[in-house]
């Protein structure tokens, strides 16, 4: 799990190897970090799993909009929903912003092709490689290379 700022700089890395855990559980585990470190009015962008963070103080979470569904009697009781134009616009902007946040990872995979394949070495070596790749990415950004 990583924290990326608005300039695509990787600010915090929680290990190079992480077994997939539910994002909401990760937020709950790291709540103190987010509130203490980012609690000065941080805006956090994530998918709907990040809704678990909506009760954080001073951190504002932006998640894509999902309408609650209602039964539609004309379509044999299937559950259907429609987003408003404003909701569709928000989701489009949200998707664009999330793509920008994920760009560093695509750049790292391009530079370090080892990150594209399942890693065959130890977890500690994978952690070291991912940490190095993040540092290299930030160095290139800082020096405009």
């Amino acid at each position: 799990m990583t924290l990326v700022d608005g300039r695509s700089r990787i600010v915090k890395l929680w290990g190079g190897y992480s077994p997939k855990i539910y994002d909401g559980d990760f937020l709950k585990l790291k709540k103190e970090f987010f509130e203490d470190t980012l609690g000065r009015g941080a805006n956090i962008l994530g998918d709907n799993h990040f809704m678990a963070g909506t009760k954080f103080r001073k951190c504002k979470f932006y998640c894509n909009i999902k309408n609650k569904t209602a039964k539609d009697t004309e379509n044999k009781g299937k559950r259907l929903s429609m987003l408003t134009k404003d909701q569709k616009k928000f989701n489009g902007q949200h998707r664009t912003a999330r793509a920008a946040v994920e760009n560093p990872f695509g750049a790292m995979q391009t530079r370090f092709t080892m990150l594209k394949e399942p890693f065959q070495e130890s977890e500690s070596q994978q952690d070291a490689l991912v940490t190095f790749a993040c540092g290299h990415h930030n160095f290139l950004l800082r020096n405009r290379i």
Side-chain angles (χ1 to χ4, degrees), residues 9 135-145:
R9 190 173 64 98
H136 184 264
H137 171 78
N138 285 348
F139 174 81
L140 294 175
L141 277 178
R142 192 174 304 120
N143 294 293
R144 300 177 193 260
I145 296 175

Side-chain angles (χ1 to χ4, degrees), residues 44-70:
I44 299 172
L45 187 67
D47 60 19
N48 284 334
H49 296 167
F50 280 82
M51 291 301 287
T54 56
K55 292 185 172 64
F56 285 20
R57 59 184 158 85
K58 297 184 183 176
C59 293
K60 186 164 184 179
F61 285 79
Y62 292 92
C63 302
N64 55 317
I65 298 170
K66 289 178 95 174
N67 265 358
K68 292 182 179 172
T69 57

